[in-house]
Structures are given as structure tokens and as C-alpha cells.
Amino acid sequence: NAGVTQTPKFRILKIGQSMTLQCTQDMNHNYMYWYRQDPGMGLKLIYYSVGAGITDKGEVPNGYNVSRSTTEDFPLRLELAAPSQTSVYFCASSPNSGGAYEQYFGPGTRLTVT
Amino acid sequence: AQTVTQSQPEMSVQEAETVTLSCTYDTSENNYYLFWYKQPPSRQMILVIRQEAYKQQNATENRFSVNFQKAAKSFSLKISDSQLGDTAMYFCAFLQKGSNDYKLSFGAGTTVTVRA
């Protein structure tokens, strides 16, 4: 099982550029999440989705957009990249919400904005 | 928002010894989950252990065990018989039951280095 996959693994952007981070899961999970991890910090929730067509903001949504057209895919869009968006981005999924359901994480995308 | 505090940025332990990582959290609620996640150098986040707040018995997973003190809002992780593969960053995380039960709140992490 591939689980949660993310592409690309690394990316360098110039200020003002845009890009999409891809996330795909093959576990038929309803819930999907995007987190960012800044150096020396824990993960912070950017956006989440409870199913295809439904998304909502997390703790730090500014500067990002998401869509969920299928159960499998949950891309994260950065518009007008800024140095403050330099971070490691993790996608995760879970079959449902609640602590009884483990969130499975992808391997992360390291993004540098210069 | 819930606050999760890990006061130890780094810990070092000799192989086969025991190390304990501390975590405190702040909440006014009674129903929640607590987790410890491991992030090795590969960056993959791996669930180590979870504890439901209403369960008094401390969770155990092989060499990993927790000491859950609900009144003190403390949730420490003990790694026994440390192995080189335990070298990683460890994150404590909190999840509230109810309407926000999708939102994991993470601490800043503790880097554990196991020495040969």
C-alpha cells in the first residue's frame, strides 16, 4: 500500500511565484489534512477536508488554497509565495475524525521561498 | 486553542537505557485524546502511542509507555531499552473530542539521540 504520497519532495520558489503541492491517498479515507512544520516547531493545521467537495480552514490558512474534487486527492495551492511560507508541508488522512482514528502522514514536501 | 508544551528541546540516552520525555497540556475539557508521534530523520510522522483521557490505565506499546496524570495535565513518554532506531524527534499532541475532533495540536517536539 502506498498510503499517503506527496509530490514534490523538495522545491525552491522565488517570491511571488505560485505552485501546487500534490497529495494523494489510496486508503479511501474521508478526512484529509494539510499541515506545515516550521523549524523547531510542531505541526500546524492549514486546511482540512471531511470529504470530496468539502474543505475548511485550520489554524494558519492565510496564503493557501485547497480543493477536494475526489476522495483521493487534496492539493494545496500557494499563491504569491512569501519567505514566511518556507516550511515543511505534510499531508495526512484518516478514515474519520476523532482520536480513535489514526492520522496517516505523507513524507512531506520541503519548500524554500527566496 | 489548546496549548501543548514540551519543555525538553533535546535528550540524549545511552543505548539500552531508559529516557522519559515530558509533555504538559492545557484544556478545560474532560474528553480528549493524547498522542506521541515520532519523526525520524526521514521526516515520516509515525504514531507511537495514544491515550484516551477517560481511561485511567496508562497506555503501553512494547518499549513505549506513558504516565498520564489527568489532574496535573501531564503526559510523559517513557522509552525503555532504547535502541539506535529510536533516534528521532518526538511530538506530543492533543485532540479534543467533539466538534473539533479533527484538529491535532502539537507541541514543539523533543529531539532524542540514542548513543551507541
Side-chain angles (χ1 to χ4, degrees):
Chain A
N1 257 352
V4 181
T5 57
Q6 293 182 237
T7 56
K9 286 186 167 52
F10 304 93
R11 183 72 186 268
I12 299 174
L13 279 183
K14 294 191 184 304
I15 294 171
Q17 287 185 322
S18 301
M19 77 164 295
T20 299
L21 281 66
Q22 302 291 345
C23 174
T24 300
Q25 54 93 7
D26 63 359
M27 298 173 282
N28 201 33
H29 285 172
N30 290 320
Y31 280 69
M32 295 188 75
Y33 315 82
W34 274 107
Y35 294 89
R36 60 177 286 172
Q37 182 182 24
D38 298 329
M41 304 292 290
L43 280 66
K44 293 188 177 179
L45 184 66
I46 306 172
Y47 270 95
Y48 70 100
S49 169
V50 304
I54 307 170
T55 63
D56 209 344
K57 296 177 181 178
E59 193 179 350
V60 288
N62 291 345
Y64 307 95
N65 279 302
V66 294
S67 59
R68 185 99 181 267
S69 57
T70 66
T71 300
E72 295 78 20
D73 300 307
F74 189 42
L76 177 72
R77 177 87 179 155
L78 278 73
E79 305 281 2
L80 298 174
S84 61
Q85 293 177 305
T86 293
S87 191
V88 180
Y89 292 84
F90 288 95
C91 180
S93 73
S94 63
N96 210 327
S97 64
Y101 299 96
E102 179 179 347
Q103 289 190 20
Y104 294 83
F105 287 81
T109 294
R110 183 178 295 278
L111 176 67
T112 303
V113 182
T114 62
Chain B
Q2 276 71 31
T3 303
V4 180
T5 302
Q6 294 179 248
S7 58
Q8 304 150 312
E10 295 181 15
M11 300 281 284
S12 180
V13 61
Q14 193 71 34
E15 197 175 8
E17 297 293 311
T18 295
V19 63
T20 299
L21 313 182
S22 66
C23 172
T24 58
Y25 57 94
D26 182 28
T27 184
S28 57
E29 303 294 329
N30 272 320
N31 295 319
Y32 50 88
Y33 287 86
L34 294 160
F35 306 84
W36 280 98
Y37 278 87
K38 171 184 177 181
Q39 187 180 42
S42 66
R43 291 208 312 256
Q44 185 77 43
M45 292 285 285
I46 303 163
L47 178 64
V48 174
I49 199 165
R50 99 181 84 197
Q51 174 82 39
E52 297 179 58
Y54 73 87
K55 288 188 176 178
Q56 293 185 338
Q57 187 172 5
N58 289 323
T60 299
E61 288 287 343
N62 300 314
R63 297 180 295 105
F64 297 88
S65 61
V66 298
N67 182 4
F68 175 47
Q69 301 289 327
K70 190 172 183 179
K73 297 179 184 175
S74 170
F75 183 60
S76 61
L77 174 71
K78 184 168 80 172
I79 307 174
S80 303
D81 186 24
S82 297
Q83 301 176 358
L84 296 177
D86 295 334
T87 291
M89 196 152 186
Y90 288 81
F91 292 97
C92 179
F94 174 101
L95 189 144
Q96 186 69 56
K97 277 192 177 181
S99 59
N100 285 332
D101 65 356
Y102 58 89
K103 185 178 178 298
L104 275 171
S105 297
F106 287 85
T110 297
T111 300
V112 172
T113 303
V114 181
R115 306 185 309 272

Short mmCIF file of all heavy atoms in Angstrom, two decimals, chain A residues 9-10 33 35 37 40-43 45 48 59 88 90 97-103 105-110, chain B residues 1 33 35 37 39 42-47 50 52 89 91 95 97-98 101-109:
data_model
loop_
_atom_site.label_atom_id
_atom_site.label_comp_id
_atom_site.label_asym_id
_atom_site.label_seq_id
_atom_site.Cartn_x
_atom_site.Cartn_y
_atom_site.Cartn_z
N LYS A 9 9.12 16.36 -3.44
CA LYS A 9 9.78 16.21 -2.14
C LYS A 9 10.46 17.50 -1.72
O LYS A 9 10.52 17.83 -0.54
CB LYS A 9 10.81 15.09 -2.19
CG LYS A 9 10.24 13.70 -2.20
CD LYS A 9 11.33 12.65 -2.11
CE LYS A 9 10.77 11.27 -1.81
NZ LYS A 9 9.71 10.86 -2.71
N PHE A 10 10.98 18.22 -2.68
CA PHE A 10 11.69 19.48 -2.42
C PHE A 10 11.30 20.47 -3.52
O PHE A 10 11.05 20.08 -4.65
CB PHE A 10 13.21 19.31 -2.46
CG PHE A 10 13.75 18.29 -1.53
CD1 PHE A 10 13.96 16.99 -1.96
CD2 PHE A 10 14.05 18.61 -0.23
CE1 PHE A 10 14.46 16.03 -1.10
CE2 PHE A 10 14.56 17.66 0.64
CZ PHE A 10 14.76 16.37 0.21
N TYR A 33 -5.87 16.32 5.49
CA TYR A 33 -5.35 17.48 6.21
C TYR A 33 -4.07 17.97 5.54
O TYR A 33 -3.31 17.19 5.00
CB TYR A 33 -5.00 17.10 7.66
CG TYR A 33 -6.02 16.26 8.38
CD1 TYR A 33 -6.07 14.88 8.21
CD2 TYR A 33 -6.93 16.82 9.26
CE1 TYR A 33 -6.98 14.08 8.87
CE2 TYR A 33 -7.86 16.05 9.93
CZ TYR A 33 -7.87 14.68 9.73
OH TYR A 33 -8.80 13.91 10.39
N TYR A 35 -0.73 20.21 6.89
CA TYR A 35 -0.02 20.83 8.00
C TYR A 35 1.25 21.48 7.47
O TYR A 35 1.82 21.07 6.46
CB TYR A 35 0.42 19.79 9.03
CG TYR A 35 -0.69 19.08 9.77
CD1 TYR A 35 -1.26 17.91 9.28
CD2 TYR A 35 -1.14 19.57 11.00
CE1 TYR A 35 -2.25 17.25 9.99
CE2 TYR A 35 -2.13 18.91 11.71
CZ TYR A 35 -2.68 17.75 11.20
OH TYR A 35 -3.66 17.10 11.90
N GLN A 37 5.19 22.57 9.08
CA GLN A 37 6.10 22.42 10.22
C GLN A 37 7.26 23.38 10.03
O GLN A 37 8.10 23.18 9.14
CB GLN A 37 6.61 20.99 10.34
CG GLN A 37 7.51 20.78 11.54
CD GLN A 37 8.06 19.36 11.62
OE1 GLN A 37 8.15 18.66 10.63
NE2 GLN A 37 8.44 18.94 12.82
N GLY A 40 12.04 23.61 14.26
CA GLY A 40 11.98 23.54 15.72
C GLY A 40 10.59 23.62 16.30
O GLY A 40 10.44 23.81 17.51
N MET A 41 9.58 23.46 15.46
CA MET A 41 8.20 23.60 15.93
C MET A 41 7.39 22.37 15.61
O MET A 41 7.77 21.55 14.77
CB MET A 41 7.54 24.83 15.26
CG MET A 41 8.28 26.11 15.46
SD MET A 41 8.24 26.65 17.17
CE MET A 41 6.53 27.13 17.34
N GLY A 42 6.24 22.28 16.26
CA GLY A 42 5.30 21.22 15.92
C GLY A 42 4.49 21.58 14.69
O GLY A 42 4.63 22.66 14.12
N LEU A 43 3.66 20.66 14.27
CA LEU A 43 2.85 20.88 13.06
C LEU A 43 1.66 21.77 13.36
O LEU A 43 1.06 21.68 14.44
CB LEU A 43 2.35 19.53 12.53
CG LEU A 43 3.31 18.69 11.73
CD1 LEU A 43 4.48 18.19 12.55
CD2 LEU A 43 2.60 17.53 11.07
N LEU A 45 -2.08 23.08 11.60
CA LEU A 45 -3.07 22.73 10.58
C LEU A 45 -3.37 23.92 9.68
O LEU A 45 -3.72 25.00 10.17
CB LEU A 45 -4.34 22.23 11.26
CG LEU A 45 -5.45 21.73 10.35
CD1 LEU A 45 -5.01 20.45 9.63
CD2 LEU A 45 -6.72 21.46 11.16
N TYR A 48 -8.30 21.50 6.12
CA TYR A 48 -8.70 20.12 6.20
C TYR A 48 -9.95 19.91 5.34
O TYR A 48 -10.59 20.87 4.92
CB TYR A 48 -8.96 19.68 7.64
CG TYR A 48 -10.20 20.28 8.28
CD1 TYR A 48 -11.37 19.55 8.37
CD2 TYR A 48 -10.17 21.57 8.79
CE1 TYR A 48 -12.50 20.10 8.95
CE2 TYR A 48 -11.30 22.12 9.37
CZ TYR A 48 -12.46 21.38 9.45
OH TYR A 48 -13.57 21.93 10.02
N GLU A 59 -5.76 26.28 11.38
CA GLU A 59 -5.19 27.30 12.24
C GLU A 59 -4.47 28.40 11.48
O GLU A 59 -4.50 29.57 11.87
CB GLU A 59 -4.22 26.61 13.19
CG GLU A 59 -3.72 27.40 14.37
CD GLU A 59 -2.78 26.58 15.24
OE1 GLU A 59 -2.67 25.35 15.01
OE2 GLU A 59 -2.15 27.17 16.12
N VAL A 88 8.19 22.90 6.00
CA VAL A 88 7.95 21.54 5.51
C VAL A 88 6.45 21.29 5.60
O VAL A 88 5.84 21.54 6.64
CB VAL A 88 8.72 20.48 6.33
CG1 VAL A 88 8.43 19.09 5.77
CG2 VAL A 88 10.22 20.76 6.28
N PHE A 90 3.18 18.81 5.34
CA PHE A 90 2.74 17.43 5.47
C PHE A 90 1.26 17.32 5.14
O PHE A 90 0.45 18.11 5.60
CB PHE A 90 2.95 16.92 6.89
CG PHE A 90 4.38 16.70 7.24
CD1 PHE A 90 5.10 17.69 7.90
CD2 PHE A 90 5.02 15.51 6.93
CE1 PHE A 90 6.43 17.50 8.24
CE2 PHE A 90 6.35 15.31 7.26
CZ PHE A 90 7.05 16.31 7.91
N SER A 97 -12.95 11.39 11.75
CA SER A 97 -12.34 12.29 12.72
C SER A 97 -12.40 11.63 14.10
O SER A 97 -13.03 10.60 14.29
CB SER A 97 -13.06 13.63 12.74
OG SER A 97 -14.38 13.46 13.19
N GLY A 98 -11.75 12.25 15.05
CA GLY A 98 -11.77 11.68 16.38
C GLY A 98 -10.51 10.90 16.68
O GLY A 98 -9.90 10.32 15.79
N GLY A 99 -10.12 10.88 17.93
CA GLY A 99 -8.84 10.30 18.31
C GLY A 99 -8.75 8.81 18.13
O GLY A 99 -7.65 8.25 18.13
N ALA A 100 -9.88 8.13 17.97
CA ALA A 100 -9.82 6.68 17.75
C ALA A 100 -9.29 6.34 16.37
O ALA A 100 -8.91 5.21 16.10
CB ALA A 100 -11.20 6.07 17.94
N TYR A 101 -9.27 7.34 15.49
CA TYR A 101 -8.83 7.12 14.12
C TYR A 101 -7.48 7.78 13.90
O TYR A 101 -7.35 8.99 14.00
CB TYR A 101 -9.86 7.69 13.13
CG TYR A 101 -11.21 7.05 13.27
CD1 TYR A 101 -12.21 7.63 14.05
CD2 TYR A 101 -11.49 5.85 12.64
CE1 TYR A 101 -13.44 7.04 14.18
CE2 TYR A 101 -12.73 5.25 12.76
CZ TYR A 101 -13.70 5.84 13.54
OH TYR A 101 -14.92 5.26 13.67
N GLU A 102 -6.49 6.98 13.59
CA GLU A 102 -5.14 7.49 13.40
C GLU A 102 -5.05 8.33 12.15
O GLU A 102 -5.63 8.01 11.12
CB GLU A 102 -4.16 6.32 13.30
CG GLU A 102 -2.71 6.73 13.07
CD GLU A 102 -1.78 5.53 13.00
OE1 GLU A 102 -2.22 4.42 13.37
OE2 GLU A 102 -0.64 5.72 12.57
N GLN A 103 -4.31 9.44 12.25
CA GLN A 103 -3.99 10.22 11.06
C GLN A 103 -2.69 9.65 10.48
O GLN A 103 -1.69 9.51 11.18
CB GLN A 103 -3.81 11.70 11.41
CG GLN A 103 -5.12 12.38 11.77
CD GLN A 103 -5.00 13.89 11.90
OE1 GLN A 103 -4.07 14.50 11.37
NE2 GLN A 103 -5.97 14.50 12.58
N PHE A 105 0.36 10.07 7.86
CA PHE A 105 1.06 11.20 7.26
C PHE A 105 1.84 10.79 6.02
O PHE A 105 2.39 9.68 5.95
CB PHE A 105 2.02 11.82 8.27
CG PHE A 105 1.34 12.60 9.35
CD1 PHE A 105 0.77 11.98 10.44
CD2 PHE A 105 1.24 13.98 9.25
CE1 PHE A 105 0.13 12.70 11.43
CE2 PHE A 105 0.61 14.72 10.24
CZ PHE A 105 0.05 14.08 11.33
N GLY A 106 1.94 11.72 5.07
CA GLY A 106 2.84 11.57 3.95
C GLY A 106 4.26 11.93 4.36
O GLY A 106 4.49 12.37 5.49
N PRO A 107 5.22 11.81 3.45
CA PRO A 107 6.63 12.03 3.77
C PRO A 107 7.04 13.50 3.81
O PRO A 107 8.15 13.82 4.20
CB PRO A 107 7.36 11.31 2.65
CG PRO A 107 6.41 11.36 1.51
CD PRO A 107 5.04 11.27 2.09
N GLY A 108 6.16 14.39 3.40
CA GLY A 108 6.46 15.81 3.49
C GLY A 108 7.06 16.40 2.23
O GLY A 108 7.67 15.69 1.42
N THR A 109 6.87 17.70 2.08
CA THR A 109 7.48 18.49 1.00
C THR A 109 8.23 19.64 1.65
O THR A 109 7.64 20.42 2.39
CB THR A 109 6.42 19.06 0.04
OG1 THR A 109 5.78 18.00 -0.66
CG2 THR A 109 7.07 20.01 -0.97
N ARG A 110 9.52 19.72 1.36
CA ARG A 110 10.32 20.84 1.91
C ARG A 110 10.31 21.98 0.91
O ARG A 110 10.80 21.83 -0.21
CB ARG A 110 11.75 20.41 2.20
CG ARG A 110 12.59 21.51 2.84
CD ARG A 110 14.00 21.03 3.15
NE ARG A 110 14.02 20.00 4.16
CZ ARG A 110 13.97 20.22 5.48
NH1 ARG A 110 13.90 21.46 5.93
NH2 ARG A 110 14.03 19.21 6.33
N ALA B 1 -7.67 27.90 21.96
CA ALA B 1 -6.89 26.82 21.38
C ALA B 1 -6.09 26.10 22.48
O ALA B 1 -5.62 26.74 23.42
CB ALA B 1 -5.93 27.36 20.33
N TYR B 33 -8.06 13.10 23.58
CA TYR B 33 -7.04 12.10 23.34
C TYR B 33 -5.67 12.79 23.40
O TYR B 33 -5.53 13.96 23.06
CB TYR B 33 -7.17 11.48 21.94
CG TYR B 33 -8.34 10.53 21.77
CD1 TYR B 33 -9.60 11.00 21.43
CD2 TYR B 33 -8.16 9.16 21.91
CE1 TYR B 33 -10.65 10.12 21.24
CE2 TYR B 33 -9.20 8.28 21.72
CZ TYR B 33 -10.44 8.78 21.39
OH TYR B 33 -11.49 7.91 21.19
N PHE B 35 -1.49 11.97 22.27
CA PHE B 35 -0.68 11.13 21.39
C PHE B 35 0.80 11.48 21.54
O PHE B 35 1.16 12.61 21.87
CB PHE B 35 -1.05 11.39 19.91
CG PHE B 35 -2.50 11.25 19.58
CD1 PHE B 35 -3.37 12.31 19.79
CD2 PHE B 35 -2.99 10.08 19.04
CE1 PHE B 35 -4.72 12.20 19.48
CE2 PHE B 35 -4.34 9.96 18.73
CZ PHE B 35 -5.19 11.02 18.95
N TYR B 37 3.92 11.19 18.77
CA TYR B 37 4.35 10.88 17.42
C TYR B 37 5.87 10.92 17.37
O TYR B 37 6.51 11.73 18.04
CB TYR B 37 3.81 11.91 16.41
CG TYR B 37 2.39 11.66 15.95
CD1 TYR B 37 1.30 12.16 16.66
CD2 TYR B 37 2.14 10.93 14.79
CE1 TYR B 37 0.00 11.94 16.22
CE2 TYR B 37 0.85 10.70 14.34
CZ TYR B 37 -0.22 11.22 15.07
OH TYR B 37 -1.50 10.99 14.63
N GLN B 39 9.16 11.35 14.75
CA GLN B 39 9.58 11.82 13.43
C GLN B 39 11.08 11.55 13.28
O GLN B 39 11.91 12.34 13.73
CB GLN B 39 9.27 13.31 13.25
CG GLN B 39 9.54 13.80 11.83
CD GLN B 39 9.23 15.27 11.65
OE1 GLN B 39 9.54 16.09 12.51
NE2 GLN B 39 8.61 15.60 10.53
N SER B 42 14.02 10.66 8.44
CA SER B 42 13.29 10.54 7.17
C SER B 42 12.10 11.50 7.10
O SER B 42 11.51 11.68 6.03
CB SER B 42 12.77 9.11 7.00
OG SER B 42 11.79 8.83 7.99
N ARG B 43 11.76 12.12 8.20
CA ARG B 43 10.65 13.10 8.33
C ARG B 43 9.27 12.43 8.40
O ARG B 43 8.29 13.12 8.63
CB ARG B 43 10.62 14.11 7.18
CG ARG B 43 11.73 15.11 7.14
CD ARG B 43 11.26 16.38 6.45
NE ARG B 43 10.57 16.12 5.18
CZ ARG B 43 11.13 16.33 4.00
NH1 ARG B 43 12.37 16.73 3.90
NH2 ARG B 43 10.45 16.10 2.90
N GLN B 44 9.16 11.15 8.22
CA GLN B 44 7.86 10.48 8.27
C GLN B 44 7.30 10.55 9.69
O GLN B 44 7.96 10.15 10.64
CB GLN B 44 8.00 9.03 7.84
CG GLN B 44 6.71 8.29 7.73
CD GLN B 44 5.95 8.63 6.46
OE1 GLN B 44 6.52 8.72 5.39
NE2 GLN B 44 4.65 8.83 6.59
N MET B 45 6.09 11.04 9.85
CA MET B 45 5.45 11.09 11.16
C MET B 45 4.81 9.75 11.45
O MET B 45 3.99 9.26 10.66
CB MET B 45 4.37 12.19 11.18
CG MET B 45 4.92 13.59 11.08
SD MET B 45 5.68 14.14 12.59
CE MET B 45 4.24 14.47 13.60
N ILE B 46 5.16 9.17 12.59
CA ILE B 46 4.68 7.83 12.94
C ILE B 46 4.03 7.89 14.31
O ILE B 46 4.62 8.39 15.27
CB ILE B 46 5.87 6.83 12.98
CG1 ILE B 46 6.60 6.82 11.63
CG2 ILE B 46 5.39 5.43 13.36
CD1 ILE B 46 7.98 6.21 11.70
N LEU B 47 2.82 7.37 14.42
CA LEU B 47 2.14 7.33 15.70
C LEU B 47 2.81 6.28 16.59
O LEU B 47 2.94 5.13 16.20
CB LEU B 47 0.66 7.00 15.52
CG LEU B 47 -0.15 6.88 16.80
CD1 LEU B 47 -0.20 8.22 17.52
CD2 LEU B 47 -1.57 6.38 16.49
N ARG B 50 -1.14 6.23 21.93
CA ARG B 50 -2.24 7.17 22.19
C ARG B 50 -2.91 6.81 23.51
O ARG B 50 -2.87 5.67 23.96
CB ARG B 50 -3.23 7.15 21.03
CG ARG B 50 -4.46 6.30 21.25
CD ARG B 50 -5.38 6.31 20.06
NE ARG B 50 -4.95 5.32 19.10
CZ ARG B 50 -5.35 5.31 17.83
NH1 ARG B 50 -6.14 6.27 17.39
NH2 ARG B 50 -4.94 4.39 17.01
N GLU B 52 -6.59 7.70 25.77
CA GLU B 52 -7.88 8.37 25.90
C GLU B 52 -8.00 8.91 27.32
O GLU B 52 -7.69 8.20 28.29
CB GLU B 52 -9.00 7.38 25.62
CG GLU B 52 -8.97 6.85 24.20
CD GLU B 52 -10.07 5.85 23.93
OE1 GLU B 52 -11.26 6.23 24.11
OE2 GLU B 52 -9.78 4.70 23.56
N MET B 89 12.79 12.90 16.45
CA MET B 89 12.10 13.96 17.17
C MET B 89 10.75 13.38 17.61
O MET B 89 10.07 12.69 16.83
CB MET B 89 11.89 15.16 16.27
CG MET B 89 11.53 16.42 17.02
SD MET B 89 12.07 17.86 16.09
CE MET B 89 11.70 19.16 17.22
N PHE B 91 6.96 14.19 19.20
CA PHE B 91 5.96 15.23 19.39
C PHE B 91 4.81 14.70 20.23
O PHE B 91 4.28 13.62 19.97
CB PHE B 91 5.40 15.69 18.04
CG PHE B 91 6.39 16.43 17.20
CD1 PHE B 91 7.10 15.78 16.21
CD2 PHE B 91 6.61 17.79 17.39
CE1 PHE B 91 8.00 16.46 15.41
CE2 PHE B 91 7.51 18.47 16.61
CZ PHE B 91 8.21 17.81 15.62
N LEU B 95 -5.89 16.08 21.08
CA LEU B 95 -7.06 16.17 20.21
C LEU B 95 -8.32 16.18 21.08
O LEU B 95 -8.54 15.26 21.88
CB LEU B 95 -7.10 14.99 19.23
CG LEU B 95 -8.17 15.09 18.14
CD1 LEU B 95 -7.65 14.51 16.84
CD2 LEU B 95 -9.43 14.36 18.55
N LYS B 97 -12.19 15.85 21.88
CA LYS B 97 -13.40 15.17 21.39
C LYS B 97 -14.49 16.20 21.17
O LYS B 97 -14.53 17.24 21.81
CB LYS B 97 -13.88 14.14 22.40
CG LYS B 97 -13.20 12.81 22.35
CD LYS B 97 -13.96 11.82 23.20
CE LYS B 97 -13.35 10.44 23.12
NZ LYS B 97 -14.10 9.46 23.93
N GLY B 98 -15.36 15.90 20.23
CA GLY B 98 -16.49 16.79 19.99
C GLY B 98 -16.37 17.48 18.65
O GLY B 98 -15.85 16.92 17.69
N ASP B 101 -12.93 17.56 16.70
CA ASP B 101 -12.17 16.33 16.87
C ASP B 101 -11.36 15.93 15.65
O ASP B 101 -10.95 14.79 15.52
CB ASP B 101 -13.09 15.19 17.29
CG ASP B 101 -14.11 14.84 16.22
OD1 ASP B 101 -14.15 15.53 15.19
OD2 ASP B 101 -14.86 13.87 16.43
N TYR B 102 -11.13 16.89 14.74
CA TYR B 102 -10.22 16.65 13.65
C TYR B 102 -8.88 17.33 13.92
O TYR B 102 -7.89 17.09 13.26
CB TYR B 102 -10.81 17.26 12.36
CG TYR B 102 -11.07 18.74 12.50
CD1 TYR B 102 -10.09 19.68 12.20
CD2 TYR B 102 -12.28 19.20 13.00
CE1 TYR B 102 -10.30 21.02 12.39
CE2 TYR B 102 -12.50 20.55 13.19
CZ TYR B 102 -11.52 21.46 12.88
OH TYR B 102 -11.74 22.79 13.07
N LYS B 103 -8.83 18.24 14.86
CA LYS B 103 -7.71 19.18 14.99
C LYS B 103 -6.70 18.71 16.02
O LYS B 103 -6.93 18.80 17.22
CB LYS B 103 -8.24 20.56 15.37
CG LYS B 103 -7.16 21.63 15.42
CD LYS B 103 -7.75 22.98 15.75
CE LYS B 103 -6.69 24.07 15.85
NZ LYS B 103 -5.70 23.81 16.91
N LEU B 104 -5.57 18.22 15.54
CA LEU B 104 -4.46 17.87 16.40
C LEU B 104 -3.65 19.12 16.73
O LEU B 104 -3.29 19.87 15.83
CB LEU B 104 -3.54 16.87 15.70
CG LEU B 104 -3.88 15.39 15.77
CD1 LEU B 104 -2.97 14.61 14.84
CD2 LEU B 104 -3.78 14.87 17.18
N SER B 105 -3.36 19.31 18.02
CA SER B 105 -2.48 20.39 18.45
C SER B 105 -1.17 19.76 18.90
O SER B 105 -1.17 18.90 19.78
CB SER B 105 -3.11 21.18 19.60
OG SER B 105 -4.30 21.80 19.18
N PHE B 106 -0.06 20.23 18.32
CA PHE B 106 1.24 19.62 18.58
C PHE B 106 2.09 20.50 19.49
O PHE B 106 2.03 21.73 19.44
CB PHE B 106 2.01 19.43 17.27
CG PHE B 106 1.49 18.32 16.40
CD1 PHE B 106 0.45 18.53 15.53
CD2 PHE B 106 2.06 17.06 16.45
CE1 PHE B 106 -0.04 17.51 14.73
CE2 PHE B 106 1.60 16.03 15.65
CZ PHE B 106 0.54 16.25 14.79
N GLY B 107 2.93 19.85 20.28
CA GLY B 107 3.99 20.55 20.98
C GLY B 107 5.15 20.81 20.04
O GLY B 107 5.13 20.40 18.87
N ALA B 108 6.17 21.49 20.55
CA ALA B 108 7.31 21.89 19.72
C ALA B 108 8.29 20.75 19.46
O ALA B 108 9.15 20.86 18.59
CB ALA B 108 8.04 23.06 20.36
N GLY B 109 8.16 19.66 20.21
CA GLY B 109 8.99 18.50 19.96
C GLY B 109 10.20 18.39 20.87
O GLY B 109 10.70 19.39 21.40
#
